[in-house]
Amino acid sequence: MATSQIFLLFFLLCMSSLHGIATSIENCPVQYCGLGGDGNGGGGGSSVPVKFPFQIINNLESLNPRCRYPRFELLCSGNKTILVLPRSGLFTVRSIDYNLQTLDINDPLNCLPKRFLDNFSLEDSPFEQKIYGNFTFLNCSSSSSSNHVPEHHRTVACLSSENYTVLAVPSRFYNETKLPMLPVPSSCEVIRADVMVPVSGGYWNGLEDDIRLSWSDPHCAPCEYRGEVCRFTNDDTSLVVGCSNSGKESVKYDAIIIVIGFGTPGALFIVALGCYLCGKVWTHDPQRHRRRQTTTELSTSTVVASLDKPTIESYPKTIVGVSGRQPKPNDNTCPICLCRYKPKQTLRTIPKCNHYFHAYCIDKWLRMNASCPVCRKRLRFKSPFV
Ligand SMILES: *[C@@H]1O[C@H](CO)[C@@H](O)[C@H](O)[C@H]1NC(C)=O
Ligand SMILES: *[C@@H]1O[C@H](CO)[C@@H](O)[C@H](O)[C@H]1NC(C)=O
Ligand SMILES: *[C@@H]1O[C@H](CO)[C@@H](O)[C@H](O)[C@H]1NC(C)=O
Ligand SMILES: *[C@@H]1O[C@H](CO)[C@@H](O)[C@H](O)[C@H]1NC(C)=O
Ligand SMILES: *[C@@H]1O[C@H](CO)[C@@H](O)[C@H](O)[C@H]1NC(C)=O
Ligand SMILES: *[C@@H]1O[C@H](CO)[C@@H](O)[C@H](O)[C@H]1NC(C)=O
Protein backbone atom coordinates (compact mmCIF):
# COMPACT_ATOMS: atom_id res chain seq x y z
CA MET A 1 0.00 0.00 0.00
CA ALA A 2 1.28 3.43 -0.92
CA THR A 3 1.96 5.86 1.89
CA SER A 4 -0.81 8.11 0.63
CA GLN A 5 -3.31 5.22 0.82
CA ILE A 6 -2.32 4.39 4.39
CA PHE A 7 -2.66 8.01 5.13
CA LEU A 8 -6.14 8.14 3.62
CA LEU A 9 -7.13 5.06 5.58
CA PHE A 10 -5.98 6.65 8.80
CA PHE A 11 -7.78 9.81 7.88
CA LEU A 12 -11.05 7.96 7.32
CA LEU A 13 -10.65 6.01 10.55
CA CYS A 14 -9.94 9.26 12.25
CA MET A 15 -13.14 10.80 10.94
CA SER A 16 -15.13 7.81 12.13
CA SER A 17 -13.71 8.08 15.61
CA LEU A 18 -14.25 11.82 15.66
CA HIS A 19 -17.80 10.98 14.83
CA GLY A 20 -17.68 8.78 17.91
CA ILE A 21 -16.56 11.73 19.98
CA ALA A 22 -19.25 13.90 18.46
CA THR A 23 -22.03 11.46 19.28
CA SER A 24 -21.24 11.69 22.97
CA ILE A 25 -22.33 15.33 23.07
CA GLU A 26 -24.99 14.96 20.42
CA ASN A 27 -28.49 16.24 21.11
CA CYS A 28 -30.48 14.17 23.53
CA PRO A 29 -33.48 12.36 22.04
CA VAL A 30 -37.05 13.41 22.81
CA GLN A 31 -38.55 10.73 25.03
CA TYR A 32 -42.14 9.68 25.78
CA CYS A 33 -43.73 7.43 28.35
CA GLY A 34 -45.89 4.58 27.14
CA LEU A 35 -45.42 1.46 25.00
CA GLY A 36 -43.16 -0.42 27.35
CA GLY A 37 -42.56 2.39 29.78
CA ASP A 38 -38.83 2.56 29.29
CA GLY A 39 -38.95 6.10 28.02
CA ASN A 40 -38.61 5.18 24.37
CA GLY A 41 -42.32 4.84 23.67
CA GLY A 42 -43.04 6.11 20.20
CA GLY A 43 -44.95 9.27 20.99
CA GLY A 44 -47.91 7.55 22.64
CA GLY A 45 -50.42 10.18 21.48
CA SER A 46 -51.19 12.11 24.59
CA SER A 47 -48.00 11.50 26.56
CA VAL A 48 -45.76 14.43 27.42
CA PRO A 49 -42.69 15.01 25.22
CA VAL A 50 -39.67 14.83 27.53
CA LYS A 51 -36.71 16.89 26.37
CA PHE A 52 -33.53 18.16 27.96
CA PRO A 53 -33.09 19.17 30.82
CA PHE A 54 -35.62 16.48 31.71
CA GLN A 55 -34.73 12.86 31.17
CA ILE A 56 -36.67 9.66 31.70
CA ILE A 57 -34.51 7.41 33.82
CA ASN A 58 -36.50 4.16 34.12
CA ASN A 59 -34.14 2.27 31.90
CA LEU A 60 -30.90 2.68 33.80
CA GLU A 61 -28.93 0.78 31.18
CA SER A 62 -29.67 3.20 28.36
CA LEU A 63 -29.09 6.33 30.43
CA ASN A 64 -26.89 8.87 28.79
CA PRO A 65 -25.18 10.79 31.61
CA ARG A 66 -24.76 13.81 29.34
CA CYS A 67 -28.52 14.05 28.81
CA ARG A 68 -29.21 14.07 32.48
CA TYR A 69 -29.49 17.31 34.40
CA PRO A 70 -29.51 16.64 38.16
CA ARG A 71 -32.95 16.76 39.77
CA PHE A 72 -34.77 16.90 36.41
CA GLU A 73 -35.14 13.12 36.27
CA LEU A 74 -38.57 11.76 35.39
CA LEU A 75 -39.99 8.26 35.54
CA CYS A 76 -42.56 6.43 33.44
CA SER A 77 -45.41 4.46 34.87
CA GLY A 78 -47.42 3.13 31.94
CA ASN A 79 -48.55 6.21 30.02
CA LYS A 80 -47.86 8.49 32.90
CA THR A 81 -44.82 10.70 33.24
CA ILE A 82 -43.84 10.92 36.90
CA LEU A 83 -41.96 13.60 38.80
CA VAL A 84 -40.61 12.79 42.25
CA LEU A 85 -40.51 15.79 44.59
CA PRO A 86 -38.02 15.17 47.40
CA ARG A 87 -40.40 16.30 50.15
CA SER A 88 -43.76 15.42 48.68
CA GLY A 89 -43.36 12.27 46.61
CA LEU A 90 -44.76 11.27 43.25
CA PHE A 91 -46.74 13.51 40.90
CA THR A 92 -47.95 13.02 37.34
CA VAL A 93 -46.54 15.48 34.84
CA ARG A 94 -49.44 16.72 32.70
CA SER A 95 -47.53 19.06 30.43
CA ILE A 96 -44.22 20.83 30.13
CA ASP A 97 -43.86 24.26 28.54
CA TYR A 98 -40.24 24.50 27.46
CA ASN A 99 -40.66 28.12 26.31
CA LEU A 100 -41.96 29.37 29.62
CA GLN A 101 -40.02 26.80 31.68
CA THR A 102 -43.11 25.63 33.50
CA LEU A 103 -44.64 22.26 34.12
CA ASP A 104 -48.11 21.27 35.27
CA ILE A 105 -48.34 18.42 37.72
CA ASN A 106 -51.17 16.59 39.42
CA ASP A 107 -51.74 13.79 41.87
CA PRO A 108 -51.53 10.32 40.28
CA LEU A 109 -54.76 9.50 42.15
CA ASN A 110 -56.32 12.83 41.14
CA CYS A 111 -56.66 14.13 44.66
CA LEU A 112 -54.38 17.11 45.01
CA PRO A 113 -56.21 18.38 48.13
CA LYS A 114 -55.08 15.27 49.95
CA ARG A 115 -51.50 16.06 48.96
CA PHE A 116 -51.87 19.58 50.37
CA LEU A 117 -53.15 18.18 53.66
CA ASP A 118 -49.95 16.10 53.65
CA ASN A 119 -47.96 19.37 53.56
CA PHE A 120 -46.97 19.91 49.95
CA SER A 121 -43.46 21.33 49.67
CA LEU A 122 -41.05 22.05 46.85
CA GLU A 123 -38.03 22.17 49.13
CA ASP A 124 -34.94 20.46 47.71
CA SER A 125 -36.42 20.50 44.22
CA PRO A 126 -35.34 22.89 41.45
CA PHE A 127 -38.96 24.01 40.99
CA GLU A 128 -40.78 27.04 42.28
CA GLN A 129 -44.31 28.11 43.00
CA LYS A 130 -44.35 31.47 44.64
CA ILE A 131 -48.01 32.10 45.32
CA TYR A 132 -49.71 30.12 48.01
CA GLY A 133 -53.14 30.56 49.54
CA ASN A 134 -54.21 29.35 52.96
CA PHE A 135 -57.26 27.16 52.99
CA THR A 136 -59.23 25.71 55.85
CA PHE A 137 -60.47 22.15 55.35
CA LEU A 138 -63.69 21.07 57.06
CA ASN A 139 -65.26 17.70 57.62
CA CYS A 140 -69.04 17.95 57.62
CA SER A 141 -71.54 15.23 58.32
CA SER A 142 -73.67 14.82 55.22
CA SER A 143 -77.01 14.47 56.95
CA SER A 144 -77.18 18.07 58.16
CA SER A 145 -75.44 19.91 55.37
CA SER A 146 -77.39 17.79 52.83
CA ASN A 147 -75.99 19.12 49.58
CA HIS A 148 -76.01 22.70 50.71
CA VAL A 149 -72.55 24.20 50.31
CA PRO A 150 -72.17 27.47 52.24
CA GLU A 151 -71.08 30.58 50.38
CA HIS A 152 -67.36 30.74 49.52
CA HIS A 153 -66.90 27.08 50.44
CA ARG A 154 -66.37 24.35 47.89
CA THR A 155 -66.76 20.60 48.08
CA VAL A 156 -63.61 18.53 47.82
CA ALA A 157 -65.15 15.55 46.06
CA CYS A 158 -62.16 13.23 46.24
CA LEU A 159 -62.00 13.45 50.04
CA SER A 160 -65.76 13.17 50.61
CA SER A 161 -67.81 10.03 50.93
CA GLU A 162 -71.48 9.20 51.09
CA ASN A 163 -71.45 9.81 54.86
CA TYR A 164 -69.49 13.05 55.09
CA THR A 165 -68.49 15.98 52.91
CA VAL A 166 -65.12 17.67 52.99
CA LEU A 167 -65.25 21.40 52.28
CA ALA A 168 -62.46 23.87 51.62
CA VAL A 169 -62.59 27.61 52.16
CA PRO A 170 -59.91 30.28 51.87
CA SER A 171 -58.88 30.80 55.51
CA ARG A 172 -59.24 34.54 55.29
CA PHE A 173 -63.01 34.25 55.22
CA TYR A 174 -62.76 33.01 58.80
CA ASN A 175 -59.98 35.26 60.04
CA GLU A 176 -59.86 38.60 58.29
CA THR A 177 -62.13 41.21 59.75
CA LYS A 178 -62.32 43.20 56.55
CA LEU A 179 -64.04 40.31 54.78
CA PRO A 180 -67.55 39.18 55.58
CA MET A 181 -66.40 36.90 58.39
CA LEU A 182 -68.02 33.54 58.04
CA PRO A 183 -68.84 31.19 60.87
CA VAL A 184 -67.56 27.63 60.68
CA PRO A 185 -70.75 25.87 59.51
CA SER A 186 -72.46 23.87 62.22
CA SER A 187 -72.05 20.11 61.87
CA CYS A 188 -68.60 20.70 60.41
CA GLU A 189 -65.33 20.33 62.20
CA VAL A 190 -62.06 21.87 61.11
CA ILE A 191 -59.63 19.26 59.78
CA ARG A 192 -56.92 21.89 59.54
CA ALA A 193 -56.77 25.65 59.23
CA ASP A 194 -54.06 27.26 57.10
CA VAL A 195 -53.29 24.46 54.70
CA MET A 196 -50.89 25.96 52.16
CA VAL A 197 -52.21 25.48 48.65
CA PRO A 198 -50.21 26.64 45.62
CA VAL A 199 -52.39 29.04 43.67
CA SER A 200 -51.58 30.61 40.35
CA GLY A 201 -54.24 32.26 38.27
CA GLY A 202 -57.50 31.85 40.12
CA TYR A 203 -57.70 31.25 43.82
CA TRP A 204 -59.27 27.85 43.36
CA ASN A 205 -56.83 26.65 40.70
CA GLY A 206 -54.65 24.82 43.16
CA LEU A 207 -57.54 22.80 44.50
CA GLU A 208 -59.35 22.12 41.28
CA ASP A 209 -56.69 22.21 38.60
CA ASP A 210 -53.07 21.21 38.12
CA ILE A 211 -50.23 22.81 40.05
CA ARG A 212 -48.02 24.95 37.83
CA LEU A 213 -44.34 24.91 38.76
CA SER A 214 -41.57 26.87 37.13
CA TRP A 215 -37.82 26.52 36.99
CA SER A 216 -35.15 29.07 36.23
CA ASP A 217 -32.05 26.92 36.02
CA PRO A 218 -31.02 25.60 33.51
CA HIS A 219 -32.18 28.42 31.30
CA CYS A 220 -33.05 26.65 28.06
CA ALA A 221 -35.89 28.94 26.93
CA PRO A 222 -33.68 30.98 24.53
CA CYS A 223 -32.90 27.82 22.58
CA GLU A 224 -36.59 26.97 22.36
CA TYR A 225 -37.46 30.44 21.06
CA ARG A 226 -34.83 30.10 18.35
CA GLY A 227 -36.00 26.63 17.41
CA GLU A 228 -32.71 25.21 18.60
CA VAL A 229 -31.89 22.41 20.98
CA CYS A 230 -30.69 22.89 24.53
CA ARG A 231 -27.93 20.63 25.80
CA PHE A 232 -24.72 20.49 27.78
CA THR A 233 -21.95 22.35 25.99
CA ASN A 234 -19.03 20.31 27.28
CA ASP A 235 -18.31 16.65 27.22
CA ASP A 236 -17.39 16.61 30.89
CA THR A 237 -19.39 16.84 34.07
CA SER A 238 -19.99 20.59 34.16
CA LEU A 239 -23.58 21.79 34.10
CA VAL A 240 -23.14 24.54 31.51
CA VAL A 241 -25.88 24.43 28.88
CA GLY A 242 -26.10 26.04 25.48
CA CYS A 243 -28.09 25.95 22.28
CA SER A 244 -27.26 23.90 19.24
CA ASN A 245 -29.00 24.35 15.90
CA SER A 246 -28.21 21.06 14.24
CA GLY A 247 -26.53 19.08 16.94
CA LYS A 248 -23.82 16.71 15.92
CA GLU A 249 -23.44 18.11 12.41
CA SER A 250 -21.95 21.34 13.73
CA VAL A 251 -19.66 19.50 16.11
CA LYS A 252 -18.43 17.23 13.35
CA TYR A 253 -17.85 20.25 11.16
CA ASP A 254 -15.66 21.79 13.85
CA ALA A 255 -13.67 18.57 14.02
CA ILE A 256 -12.98 18.67 10.28
CA ILE A 257 -11.82 22.29 10.53
CA ILE A 258 -9.43 21.34 13.32
CA VAL A 259 -7.94 18.48 11.32
CA ILE A 260 -7.60 20.51 8.12
CA GLY A 261 -6.23 23.43 10.10
CA PHE A 262 -3.26 21.33 11.13
CA GLY A 263 -1.99 21.72 7.58
CA THR A 264 1.27 19.80 7.60
CA PRO A 265 0.99 16.12 6.74
CA GLY A 266 3.18 15.19 9.70
CA ALA A 267 0.84 16.75 12.23
CA LEU A 268 -2.10 15.21 10.41
CA PHE A 269 -0.46 11.83 10.57
CA ILE A 270 -0.03 12.09 14.33
CA VAL A 271 -3.64 13.15 14.75
CA ALA A 272 -4.78 10.37 12.44
CA LEU A 273 -2.70 7.79 14.30
CA GLY A 274 -4.02 8.99 17.63
CA CYS A 275 -7.56 8.88 16.34
CA TYR A 276 -7.00 5.48 14.82
CA LEU A 277 -5.91 4.11 18.19
CA CYS A 278 -8.89 5.72 19.89
CA GLY A 279 -11.10 4.64 17.02
CA LYS A 280 -10.09 1.02 17.56
CA VAL A 281 -11.51 1.23 21.03
CA TRP A 282 -14.43 3.49 20.39
CA THR A 283 -15.91 2.43 17.10
CA HIS A 284 -15.68 -1.25 17.86
CA ASP A 285 -18.55 -1.48 20.34
CA PRO A 286 -20.92 1.39 21.05
CA GLN A 287 -21.92 -0.17 24.39
CA ARG A 288 -18.31 -0.24 25.43
CA HIS A 289 -17.85 3.31 24.24
CA ARG A 290 -20.66 4.46 26.48
CA ARG A 291 -19.34 2.45 29.39
CA ARG A 292 -15.87 3.85 28.97
CA GLN A 293 -17.24 7.32 28.85
CA THR A 294 -19.27 6.72 32.00
CA THR A 295 -16.33 5.26 33.85
CA THR A 296 -14.17 8.22 32.98
CA GLU A 297 -16.80 10.57 34.28
CA LEU A 298 -17.29 8.50 37.37
CA SER A 299 -13.64 8.47 38.21
CA THR A 300 -12.97 12.13 37.56
CA SER A 301 -15.96 13.62 39.30
CA THR A 302 -17.55 13.27 42.68
CA VAL A 303 -20.83 14.49 41.21
CA VAL A 304 -21.63 11.31 39.29
CA ALA A 305 -19.67 8.88 41.46
CA SER A 306 -21.18 5.50 42.04
CA LEU A 307 -20.95 3.15 44.98
CA ASP A 308 -18.94 -0.04 45.10
CA LYS A 309 -20.40 -3.44 45.78
CA PRO A 310 -19.30 -3.77 49.43
CA THR A 311 -20.87 -0.41 50.29
CA ILE A 312 -24.14 -1.34 48.58
CA GLU A 313 -24.09 -4.74 50.30
CA SER A 314 -23.61 -3.02 53.66
CA TYR A 315 -27.03 -1.36 53.34
CA PRO A 316 -29.66 -3.29 55.27
CA LYS A 317 -32.05 -5.64 53.49
CA THR A 318 -35.54 -6.59 54.55
CA ILE A 319 -37.91 -9.17 53.15
CA VAL A 320 -41.55 -8.19 52.70
CA GLY A 321 -43.69 -10.40 54.96
CA VAL A 322 -45.80 -13.20 53.49
CA SER A 323 -48.87 -11.15 54.37
CA GLY A 324 -47.38 -8.31 52.33
CA ARG A 325 -46.67 -6.32 55.49
CA GLN A 326 -44.39 -3.38 54.74
CA PRO A 327 -41.52 -2.15 56.88
CA LYS A 328 -43.11 1.29 56.58
CA PRO A 329 -46.91 1.14 56.46
CA ASN A 330 -47.43 4.16 54.17
CA ASP A 331 -44.66 3.30 51.82
CA ASN A 332 -45.65 0.40 49.62
CA THR A 333 -44.25 1.39 46.24
CA CYS A 334 -40.69 1.27 45.00
CA PRO A 335 -39.84 4.83 43.88
CA ILE A 336 -37.60 3.50 41.11
CA CYS A 337 -39.82 1.01 39.27
CA LEU A 338 -43.07 2.35 40.77
CA CYS A 339 -44.24 -1.22 41.43
CA ARG A 340 -45.86 -2.20 44.69
CA TYR A 341 -43.80 -4.35 47.02
CA LYS A 342 -45.00 -7.93 46.90
CA PRO A 343 -44.69 -10.63 49.58
CA LYS A 344 -41.21 -12.16 49.87
CA GLN A 345 -39.52 -9.48 47.77
CA THR A 346 -36.20 -8.20 49.06
CA LEU A 347 -36.03 -4.51 49.86
CA ARG A 348 -32.98 -2.46 50.64
CA THR A 349 -32.82 0.67 52.79
CA ILE A 350 -30.46 3.59 52.49
CA PRO A 351 -29.50 4.06 56.14
CA LYS A 352 -28.73 7.76 55.80
CA CYS A 353 -32.28 8.72 54.85
CA ASN A 354 -34.25 5.55 55.57
CA HIS A 355 -35.76 5.30 52.08
CA TYR A 356 -36.82 1.86 50.88
CA PHE A 357 -36.51 0.33 47.42
CA HIS A 358 -36.52 -3.04 45.76
CA ALA A 359 -32.98 -4.32 46.35
CA TYR A 360 -32.78 -5.16 42.65
CA CYS A 361 -33.65 -1.60 41.61
CA ILE A 362 -31.55 0.31 44.11
CA ASP A 363 -28.48 -1.86 43.60
CA LYS A 364 -28.58 -1.07 39.89
CA TRP A 365 -29.07 2.61 40.66
CA LEU A 366 -26.27 2.88 43.21
CA ARG A 367 -23.83 1.26 40.83
CA MET A 368 -24.33 4.40 38.71
CA ASN A 369 -25.18 7.08 41.28
CA ALA A 370 -23.94 7.77 44.78
CA SER A 371 -27.15 9.44 45.86
CA CYS A 372 -30.59 8.48 47.10
CA PRO A 373 -33.00 8.62 44.12
CA VAL A 374 -35.74 10.06 46.34
CA CYS A 375 -34.07 12.73 48.45
CA ARG A 376 -30.76 12.91 46.58
CA LYS A 377 -28.68 12.74 49.74
CA ARG A 378 -25.06 12.16 48.82
CA LEU A 379 -23.78 8.75 49.82
CA ARG A 380 -20.22 7.76 50.55
CA PHE A 381 -18.05 4.78 50.14
CA LYS A 382 -17.81 2.78 53.28
CA SER A 383 -14.17 2.90 54.28
CA PRO A 384 -12.63 -0.55 54.50
CA PHE A 385 -10.66 0.64 57.56
CA VAL A 386 -13.65 1.42 59.78
C1 LIG B 1 -52.38 5.00 27.38
O1 LIG B 1 -53.08 6.01 26.67
C2 LIG B 1 -53.95 5.51 25.67
C3 LIG B 1 -54.63 6.68 24.98
O2 LIG B 1 -53.93 7.85 25.16
C4 LIG B 1 -54.99 4.58 26.30
O3 LIG B 1 -55.81 4.03 25.30
C5 LIG B 1 -54.30 3.48 27.06
O4 LIG B 1 -55.25 2.69 27.73
C6 LIG B 1 -53.34 4.06 28.06
N1 LIG B 1 -52.63 3.00 28.75
C7 LIG B 1 -52.41 3.01 30.07
C8 LIG B 1 -51.63 1.87 30.62
O5 LIG B 1 -52.81 3.91 30.78
C1 LIG C 1 -48.15 18.93 58.30
O1 LIG C 1 -47.85 20.07 59.08
C2 LIG C 1 -48.67 20.21 60.23
C3 LIG C 1 -48.38 21.52 60.90
O2 LIG C 1 -47.11 21.97 60.62
C4 LIG C 1 -48.41 19.01 61.15
O3 LIG C 1 -49.21 19.09 62.30
C5 LIG C 1 -48.75 17.73 60.39
O4 LIG C 1 -48.44 16.60 61.17
C6 LIG C 1 -47.98 17.64 59.08
N1 LIG C 1 -48.49 16.50 58.32
C7 LIG C 1 -47.68 15.65 57.66
C8 LIG C 1 -48.36 14.54 56.94
O5 LIG C 1 -46.48 15.78 57.65
C1 LIG D 1 -64.60 12.95 58.54
O1 LIG D 1 -65.25 12.53 59.74
C2 LIG D 1 -65.64 11.14 59.75
C3 LIG D 1 -66.36 10.87 61.05
O2 LIG D 1 -67.26 11.89 61.34
C4 LIG D 1 -64.42 10.28 59.61
O3 LIG D 1 -64.80 8.93 59.56
C5 LIG D 1 -63.69 10.64 58.34
O4 LIG D 1 -62.48 9.91 58.23
C6 LIG D 1 -63.36 12.13 58.32
N1 LIG D 1 -62.77 12.44 57.04
C7 LIG D 1 -61.67 13.17 56.89
C8 LIG D 1 -61.17 13.40 55.50
O5 LIG D 1 -61.08 13.65 57.85
C1 LIG E 1 -71.95 5.18 55.60
O1 LIG E 1 -72.82 4.88 56.69
C2 LIG E 1 -73.56 3.69 56.53
C3 LIG E 1 -74.49 3.54 57.75
O2 LIG E 1 -74.40 4.59 58.63
C4 LIG E 1 -72.63 2.50 56.42
O3 LIG E 1 -73.36 1.31 56.21
C5 LIG E 1 -71.68 2.73 55.24
O4 LIG E 1 -70.74 1.68 55.19
C6 LIG E 1 -70.97 4.06 55.40
N1 LIG E 1 -70.17 4.30 54.21
C7 LIG E 1 -68.88 4.61 54.27
C8 LIG E 1 -68.18 4.84 52.96
O5 LIG E 1 -68.27 4.72 55.31
C1 LIG F 1 -58.12 31.27 61.50
O1 LIG F 1 -59.32 30.58 61.79
C2 LIG F 1 -59.15 29.21 62.13
C3 LIG F 1 -60.50 28.59 62.24
O2 LIG F 1 -61.36 29.36 63.01
C4 LIG F 1 -58.34 29.13 63.42
O3 LIG F 1 -58.17 27.78 63.79
C5 LIG F 1 -57.00 29.75 63.16
O4 LIG F 1 -56.22 29.74 64.32
C6 LIG F 1 -57.18 31.19 62.67
N1 LIG F 1 -55.90 31.69 62.27
C7 LIG F 1 -55.46 32.92 62.61
C8 LIG F 1 -54.12 33.27 62.10
O5 LIG F 1 -56.14 33.66 63.27
C1 LIG G 1 -50.75 30.98 55.86
O1 LIG G 1 -50.62 30.46 57.15
C2 LIG G 1 -49.32 30.42 57.66
C3 LIG G 1 -49.35 29.71 58.99
O2 LIG G 1 -50.40 30.13 59.79
C4 LIG G 1 -48.81 31.86 57.78
O3 LIG G 1 -47.50 31.85 58.25
C5 LIG G 1 -48.86 32.50 56.40
O4 LIG G 1 -48.48 33.85 56.47
C6 LIG G 1 -50.24 32.41 55.81
N1 LIG G 1 -50.21 32.86 54.43
C7 LIG G 1 -51.15 33.63 53.90
C8 LIG G 1 -50.98 34.00 52.48
O5 LIG G 1 -52.11 34.00 54.54
Side-chain angles (χ1 to χ4, degrees):
M1 235 194 296
T3 323
S4 63
Q5 278 176 309
I6 295 170
F7 194 77
L8 186 64
L9 177 68
F10 278 165
F11 185 80
L12 291 175
L13 283 166
C14 181
M15 289 327 295
S16 68
S17 72
L18 277 174
H19 176 78
I21 295 165
T23 52
S24 63
I25 46 169
E26 136 188 333
N27 298 337
C28 302
V30 181
Q31 302 170 297
Y32 298 89
C33 289
L35 304 177
D38 59 358
N40 301 320
S46 60
S47 96
V48 181
V50 173
K51 301 197 280 185
F52 187 86
F54 293 92
Q55 195 192 18
I56 295 168
I57 57 160
N58 278 57
N59 190 345
L60 296 177
E61 262 129 32
S62 69
L63 274 188
N64 178 351
R66 291 317 277 160
C67 286
R68 178 157 173 220
Y69 199 92
R71 305 191 299 168
F72 282 78
E73 293 94 347
L74 299 175
L75 297 163
C76 288
S77 174
N79 277 357
K80 289 185 172 163
T81 314
I82 305 284
L83 172 72
V84 183
L85 291 176
R87 295 298 174 96
S88 302
L90 308 183
F91 288 84
T92 358
V93 178
R94 307 263 291 197
S95 62
I96 304 177
D97 188 322
Y98 294 92
N99 283 306
L100 297 175
Q101 299 197 168
T102 62
L103 71 163
D104 290 352
I105 60 170
N106 211 308
D107 179 43
L109 303 173
N110 292 316
C111 196
L112 276 178
K114 182 172 186 310
R115 308 297 295 272
F116 301 139
L117 280 170
D118 289 346
N119 299 340
F120 177 80
S121 160
L122 290 170
E123 225 174 292
D124 298 331
S125 89
F127 305 107
E128 285 183 326
Q129 214 299 350
K130 291 207 179 87
I131 312 164
Y132 286 86
N134 280 341
F135 281 75
T136 300
F137 283 71
L138 307 167
N139 190 352
C140 308
S141 65
S142 288
S143 51
S144 49
S145 57
S146 59
N147 299 337
H148 170 71
V149 179
E151 202 184 0
H152 301 300
H153 294 61
R154 292 206 190 172
T155 307
V156 181
C158 66
L159 288 174
S160 304
S161 84
E162 51 176 319
N163 295 338
Y164 57 89
T165 309
V166 172
L167 300 179
V169 62
S171 297
R172 40 194 203 128
F173 284 111
Y174 287 169
N175 303 66
E176 269 177 35
T177 44
K178 57 179 186 278
L179 289 170
M181 283 233 281
L182 297 175
V184 174
S186 61
S187 81
C188 297
E189 57 178 72
V190 173
I191 302 174
R192 240 174 72 204
D194 293 336
V195 176
M196 301 254 287
V197 173
V199 287
S200 38
Y203 213 74
W204 290 96
N205 273 26
L207 282 172
E208 299 182 344
D209 219 333
D210 298 333
I211 313 172
R212 175 154 299 177
L213 310 179
S214 63
W215 76 91
S216 47
D217 228 11
H219 192 50
C220 281
C223 309
E224 291 292 325
Y225 282 118
R226 279 189 258 151
E228 297 182 352
V229 176
C230 187
R231 62 174 195 194
F232 286 120
T233 49
N234 302 318
D235 193 17
D236 57 27
T237 55
S238 61
L239 296 182
V240 182
V241 302
C243 307
S244 139
N245 46 15
S246 56
K248 78 183 180 200
E249 285 314 310
S250 66
V251 177
K252 207 169 146 192
Y253 184 67
D254 291 345
I256 294 169
I257 300 283
I258 293 165
V259 172
I260 292 171
F262 262 97
T264 70
L268 191 48
F269 182 79
I270 291 166
V271 173
L273 184 63
C275 291
Y276 171 62
L277 294 176
C278 301
K280 264 184 102 113
V281 180
W282 270 341
T283 54
H284 179 60
D285 170 7
Q287 278 300 119
R288 190 155 108 201
H289 165 215
R290 188 161 50 222
R291 267 201 307 275
R292 280 180 61 86
Q293 192 199 338
T294 316
T295 345
T296 333
E297 288 192 12
L298 292 181
S299 58
T300 54
S301 157
T302 51
V303 178
V304 232
S306 61
L307 293 185
D308 62 346
K309 203 157 179 256
T311 310
I312 297 173
E313 286 299 328
S314 74
Y315 289 175
K317 278 183 179 173
T318 34
I319 313 271
V320 180
V322 181
S323 60
R325 202 165 55 84
Q326 316 296 334
K328 275 187 179 172
N330 300 328
D331 180 7
N332 58 7
T333 309
C334 172
I336 296 178
C337 66
L338 302 179
C339 302
R340 279 174 181 270
Y341 301 132
K342 300 209 180 79
K344 294 188 185 163
Q345 283 183 331
T346 308
L347 313 187
R348 203 189 281 287
T349 327
I350 296 181
K352 199 168 174 183
C353 54
N354 211 23
H355 285 123
Y356 283 81
F357 310 89
H358 282 125
Y360 169 78
C361 299
I362 192 65
D363 291 6
K364 224 161 139 187
W365 171 278
L366 292 175
R367 267 181 259 131
M368 301 180 73
N369 303 273
S371 65
C372 170
V374 174
C375 63
R376 311 214 59 84
K377 273 214 169 70
R378 308 279 322 141
L379 306 171
R380 284 174 210 287
F381 279 102
K382 195 181 150 104
S383 163
F385 306 106
V386 182

